[in-house]
Amino acid sequence: SHFGEHRVGLRTSPAESVHHISRAMSRFVAVAMAVAAALGVVGAETPVQKVIALLHRLREQLQEEGAAEAVSYDKFACFCKEQADNKAYAVNKSQGVIDQHEAAIAALATEIAQLDQEAVDHKADIAAEEAQANQTKVVRQAAFDQYSVERKNLT
């Protein structure tokens, strides 16, 4: 396994990134300790030991930050999933309401067409009734006029 083998990038989770960086730092610390031991440095803290101590602190800090970032990432991922689920539910529910309203519109459009036809039919019936009433009125008026003439002749 080589240092460049793992890439830290957008496709890895924060926990994976921390893990890869931590492994690389551990390897570097092990090599530095081996070099210090090979040089036979004992006693006072040497620059290499200071670097090693610094790397240990950095690794711990990085692990803490990575864990915190992983928790934040998980919370955000859960939030995003929950929001997406809520939106999908709302869309599905709204689609059901839309479908109901469209069915009601279609039924009402049919009823309106039927009522429009009935209105046309009733207008024709009214016109026929008025024509018959006018004809009857003319006949009655003629009968009344004839009666009036005959009555005048009798008196």
Side-chain angles (χ1 to χ4, degrees), residues 6-68:
H6 299 285
R7 287 190 189 179
V8 177
L10 295 177
R11 292 191 178 166
T12 60
S13 71
E16 291 172 333
S17 298
V18 168
H19 174 72
H20 295 306
I21 293 170
S22 179
R23 285 182 60 200
M25 286 179 68
S26 294
R27 289 184 191 128
F28 179 75
V29 169
V31 169
M33 289 175 67
V35 168
L39 294 175
V41 178
V42 180
E45 191 174 36
T46 65
V48 172
Q49 289 172 331
K50 288 180 182 179
V51 170
I52 292 171
L54 175 64
L55 289 175
H56 280 293
R57 285 193 307 270
L58 285 173
R59 181 178 65 188
E60 290 171 7
Q61 181 183 358
L62 182 62
Q63 287 173 339
E64 290 171 4
E65 289 174 359

Side-chain angles (χ1 to χ4, degrees), residues 94-136:
S94 296
Q95 187 59 48
V97 171
I98 289 169
D99 292 343
Q100 289 174 349
H101 288 310
E102 286 177 345
I105 288 170
L108 291 173
T110 302
E111 185 177 345
I112 287 171
Q114 181 182 2
L115 291 173
D116 284 344
Q117 185 58 47
E118 287 178 13
V120 169
D121 294 344
H122 289 309
K123 283 181 183 179
D125 291 345
I126 289 171
E129 292 290 330
E130 285 177 345
Q132 185 178 1
N134 286 337
Q135 185 180 11
T136 303

Side-chain angles (χ1 to χ4, degrees), residues 78-93:
C78 289
F79 170 79
C80 289
K81 183 179 181 335
E82 182 179 308
Q83 290 299 312
D85 290 346
N86 289 342
K87 298 296 182 206
Y89 173 76
V91 166
N92 288 337
K93 185 177 177 184

